[in-house]
Structure formats: structure tokens, C-alpha cells
Amino acid sequence: MLLVVLTFSACVEEIEIDTLNENESQSALVVEAIFTNEAITQTVYLSRSSVNLDLETDTVYSPYIPLSSRPFDTVDWEIGATVTLLSESGEEFKFTEAQDGVYHSNTPFALQMGVNYTLDISRNNGQEYESDPISIQGISRVTNVYSEKAENDNGEEGIAIYVDSEPLEGNAKYFKYTYAETYKIVAPFWQNFEFELTNYDGIDDVVDYDLEVVVKETEDRICYNTVSSNTIDVFSTDGVSEGNVTKHKVRFITKDNFIIAQRYSILVQQQVQSPDANSFYKTLQSFSQSDNLFSQIQPGGIYANVHRKDGKIENVYGYVEAVGVTEQRIFLNYEDFFPEETPPYAFNCGFETAKLFNSPTDPCPQGLLERIDIGTVTYYSDYVENLVPDANPICVGPFIFVPTICGDCTVLGSNIKPDFWVD
């Protein structure tokens, strides 16, 4: 999802942007909507630009931080708005807020070729907005999605995903590509047992606790995770007589990326855009890839195709568009490309042992009870000396354990197999 961020870093030379004032940069409306020719529940995202987005959040996994306490970036969602899509033929498609800032159509619908549509928005403060007319420009059929062993520009080996397509209807010359990749995760040090700690109230309670090793009731060895693309990939065949797309690369995965270690699937979607929408995303792409974000393209020039109904000048960001879409899914296995190699797991796993608890003067690492209590470790076995040969003898405990991420795949994904998955 597109987030327009107006945060200025201290390392960027201060510049003057006449098109924005401080109040607008904190509260400008951001509208994001891609309506398609599919009969689906369509979605509109409404938020507000902010100078307070946290871009420094550390997203590297640490086995010493409980999952529930990790920091996440936030979005200033626009809540309580009234959203309607109007067609020039008089149809109205109303939307309901499903969660903060996310508005779903009340019923599934598909846009029709050659029909103009307008998005109508009323904010909860009474301000009203409407988009420029939008319409589906064309449809192009994805004929093939395929993978090949390849190298990237840095000479790294990996797997490249390509797409071919051919025009079917209308002016199918401008494209945007997105994908959703799903990968299988197998916890490398999984065991069918787990710690069960009860009657424990923290590091000061080391008398009445109960610790057992019990059979797991939840599947946490094999999981699946789905991640949507977050880059801008636009392309044009303008000037090409046939208008076919041939071997357009939509994804490259280095061979040491753990997401392809087991089985991997990618669903590639091709969106046929209007020339204006394609130009907007090219500009946004250039903006996001610039070495100096403010050297060539000013954020004041990237506006939405949405404006105030009363004619008042107000900066609005994002974009509303109508696209013709087709998509195709493929699966691949790592060994089909690199049969003699195995990519690393997502985390450098290793066996550990520790005493159940430590006294304030104890030189040993964090006690096992405390680690179990905050959910950072999972059971592997009873203590076996040769599994932790370098352990400090005075810190040895009754169990061998591993970081939770190494024995519980639900740290990285869901244990529910997707309906589309084929082993």
C-alpha cells in the first residue's frame, strides 16, 4: 500500500517547498484505490499524511525480545468517511469502513470497459472530495509466468520470475505489475514437545512454579507466509506495434534467501493502466529511487487525481485508478535450480542450556524460567552434554532449548495451509 511520507531527515539539506505549508503536511488526505474489471469486493484506503511516521523501527528478529512487545510503524487512518463510487450510467457502489481507514464495497462488483467512474468521498469533518473520471483503458492477457536461474546486476545468483502477455481489448499499452509470494516454512529444530510453565509470577517467584514438558497441541512445524510486493513496477509497450510483453522481470530472489528454501509460489498480477496513471507511478518510482529524495522531484508535485468539491485548493495524495487485470500463479522448488545447495534458515539457530533461574550475583545468562515466561525459547530435549559442548559448567540446566523462531514456525507464518497450495 502506498504511504506518502513527508518526513525530513537531518542529513538532507533543508529546502523550501512553497506548495506545502506545515499544517497541510500534517493532515493532507491520502486516497488509494485500484478498481478492477474483476467481480470482487473493491477496496478504498483513506489516511492522512504525517511527519511523525517512524522510519527507524528495527525489524531484525531478536530471540531476546518477546513477540508481543515489538515496535511497529503506525498510519494515521482517516476514519468515519462516506465513500461511494459513481458511474456515468447512474450506478452507485457504496462502501463501508471494515477497519480504520479501510473501506470495502458493500457488494462485489466489476468495472466495465468504456464507462467512466468517479469516486466520491465525504470526510467526517464535512469536507467533500471527488476524483477525476477514471475508466478501464484495456485488457491484456497474461500468457506465461515462469522462472529461470539468473544473476542480478551485482553478480549474485538466484531465481528470476518473468511474465509474458498479449493485448486483448482496448488500449493495452501501459502496465503495472504486483505480486503476492507465498512460501513454505519448516522449523529446523522442531520437536513435538513444549514447555508448560504455570504458577510462575516472575523472577522473584522461584518456589511455587510448576514446569512440565508436554506434548504439543498445535501444529508449529510447517507454516506458510504470504507477502505482497511493496515496490513500483511500471512498464509500457507504447511504440511497439504488436503490444506484446515479453520476458518482463517482476521478481529476483537471491539463492541464499530462505523464502525459497522449501517450496515457493508467486501470483503475478498485470494491471493495464491509463497513460496518466502510468505517468504518476513512474514519477513516484523515480521519487522513491532517488539518491537524494528532494534533489529532483518535490513531494509537492505528486498529487492525487482527487480534489475538493467546493473548488478550494488543497493538497491530496495517492491515486485512484481503474485497471484491467489478469494474473497467473506458479510454484517452484529450490532443488530444481540449485540441487547441490541449501539456503540458510531465517535465523542462525543453535542449541542452548541455562539454569532454571539465577541469583542476582549469578554470572550465568538469563534463566530458563524467565525465557519461557516471555516466550523467547522452545523445548528441544533434556540436557545432553555434546549438544552444548561450550556451555559454562556452572550455568548448565536440565534442558536443551532453542530460540522460538527455530522450533516454532508460527513466529514466521501461519500453520494454516492456503487453499491454493499444491505440494
Side-chain angles (χ1 to χ4, degrees):
M1 184 178 64
L2 167 68
L3 294 178
V4 178
V5 180
L6 302 178
T7 302
F8 294 83
S9 170
C11 64
V12 177
E13 183 180 354
E14 183 177 352
I15 60 176
E16 181 179 351
I17 301 177
D18 295 332
T19 56
L20 294 176
N21 60 54
E22 182 177 356
N23 292 333
E24 286 180 330
S25 69
Q26 293 179 2
S27 60
L29 181 66
V30 182
V31 183
E32 306 168 59
I34 300 176
F35 300 110
T36 77
N37 61 330
E38 302 171 293
I40 60 173
T41 298
Q42 310 281 352
T43 304
V44 175
Y45 298 95
L46 300 180
S47 58
R48 295 187 301 275
S49 62
S50 173
V51 296
N52 298 317
L53 289 179
D54 174 18
L55 300 183
E56 303 298 329
T57 298
D58 184 5
T59 57
V60 176
Y61 175 82
S62 170
Y64 308 108
I65 302 176
L67 294 177
S68 59
S69 64
R70 299 177 189 277
F72 293 95
D73 294 335
T74 58
V75 175
D76 293 332
W77 295 109
E78 178 68 27
I79 62 175
T82 300
V83 179
T84 307
L85 184 70
L86 308 171
S87 78
E88 63 180 349
S89 59
E91 290 180 291
E92 291 189 3
F93 304 99
K94 296 186 179 298
F95 289 70
T96 298
E97 190 170 11
Q99 62 190 72
D100 287 357
V102 181
Y103 298 80
H104 290 165
S105 61
N106 293 350
T107 58
F109 67 90
L111 268 57
Q112 304 300 313
M113 279 278 296
V115 177
N116 285 327
Y117 297 85
T118 302
L119 183 64
D120 187 278
I121 300 168
S122 296
R123 296 175 70 176
N124 59 12
N125 62 5
Q127 294 174 353
E128 297 183 338
Y129 304 78
E130 63 181 0
S131 72
D132 297 336
I134 58 174
S135 63
I136 294 178
Q137 302 292 299
I139 299 173
S140 178
R141 181 173 65 94
V142 172
T143 57
N144 195 19
V145 174
Y146 50 102
S147 55
E148 294 181 0
K149 186 176 178 179
E151 289 188 359
N152 64 12
D153 293 339
N154 297 322
E156 298 172 298
E157 283 190 304
I159 299 173
I161 311 295
Y162 300 100
V163 60
D164 297 339
S165 70
E166 60 183 15
L168 292 181
E169 185 179 359
N171 183 28
K173 295 182 178 180
Y174 300 92
F175 306 91
K176 178 157 64 77
Y177 293 92
T178 65
Y179 60 82
E181 56 187 354
T182 303
Y183 49 92
K184 186 177 183 179
I185 304 161
V186 179
F189 292 150
W190 175 88
Q191 293 289 347
N192 195 32
F193 300 93
E194 63 184 346
F195 292 120
E196 183 175 85
L197 179 62
T198 56
N199 301 320
Y200 177 76
D201 295 324
I203 58 177
D204 295 329
D205 181 11
V206 294
V207 178
D208 297 326
Y209 70 89
D210 292 305
L211 178 61
E212 296 181 86
V213 176
V214 300
V215 176
K216 287 182 176 179
E217 297 181 355
T218 303
E219 164 59 46
D220 58 7
R221 177 176 177 266
I222 298 177
C223 292
Y224 306 84
N225 191 38
T226 297
V227 179
S228 297
S229 54
N230 60 2
T231 57
I232 299 171
D233 183 1
V234 290
F235 181 72
S236 172
T237 59
D238 193 21
V240 179
S241 58
E242 296 85 1
N244 291 351
V245 174
T246 303
K247 204 171 186 178
H248 177 75
K249 184 168 67 176
V250 295
R251 181 75 165 106
F252 179 84
I253 310 168
T254 57
K255 68 178 183 180
D256 60 352
N257 191 326
F258 93 100
I259 69 174
I260 54 174
Q262 302 296 328
R263 185 159 170 79
Y264 171 92
S265 177
I266 185 169
L267 177 67
V268 177
Q269 183 180 90
Q270 177 182 261
Q271 303 174 359
V272 177
Q273 299 182 292
S274 69
D276 287 342
N278 195 260
S279 176
F280 170 87
Y281 279 100
K282 281 184 178 178
T283 301
L284 194 63
Q285 182 183 47
S286 300
F287 172 70
S288 63
Q289 293 178 350
S290 173
D291 291 335
N292 182 336
L293 292 182
F294 302 102
S295 62
Q296 297 179 6
I297 301 174
Q298 303 300 334
I302 306 180
Y303 300 132
N305 54 345
V306 178
H307 53 270
R308 285 273 292 266
K309 278 189 174 183
D310 59 11
K312 182 178 178 180
I313 302 300
E314 178 182 318
N315 294 331
V316 181
Y317 299 100
Y319 207 81
V320 177
E321 60 175 324
V323 298
V325 304
T326 57
E327 58 190 24
Q328 190 175 119
R329 175 183 297 281
I330 62 168
F331 290 82
L332 59 87
N333 296 312
Y334 187 85
E335 59 267 23
D336 293 336
F337 297 86
F338 305 101
E340 305 299 325
E341 303 178 56
T342 301
Y345 188 60
F347 185 75
N348 186 21
C349 299
F351 297 121
E352 300 179 59
T353 187
K355 295 195 297 183
L356 294 180
F357 51 85
N358 300 320
S359 67
T361 59
D362 203 319
C364 297
Q366 185 180 30
L368 177 58
L369 294 181
E370 187 177 356
R371 299 193 200 192
I372 296 172
D373 187 47
I374 61 177
T376 60
V377 298
T378 187
Y379 173 85
Y380 183 76
S381 73
D382 292 345
Y383 176 73
V384 179
E385 182 177 0
N386 62 7
L387 290 182
V388 284
D390 298 327
N392 187 333
I394 67 172
C395 300
V396 168
F399 301 106
I400 300 294
F401 52 87
V402 294
T404 302
I405 193 174
C406 302
D408 181 351
C409 66
T410 61
V411 174
L412 295 170
S414 168
N415 58 11
I416 300 174
K417 181 186 291 189
D419 293 337
F420 60 80
W421 191 264
V422 178
D423 286 310

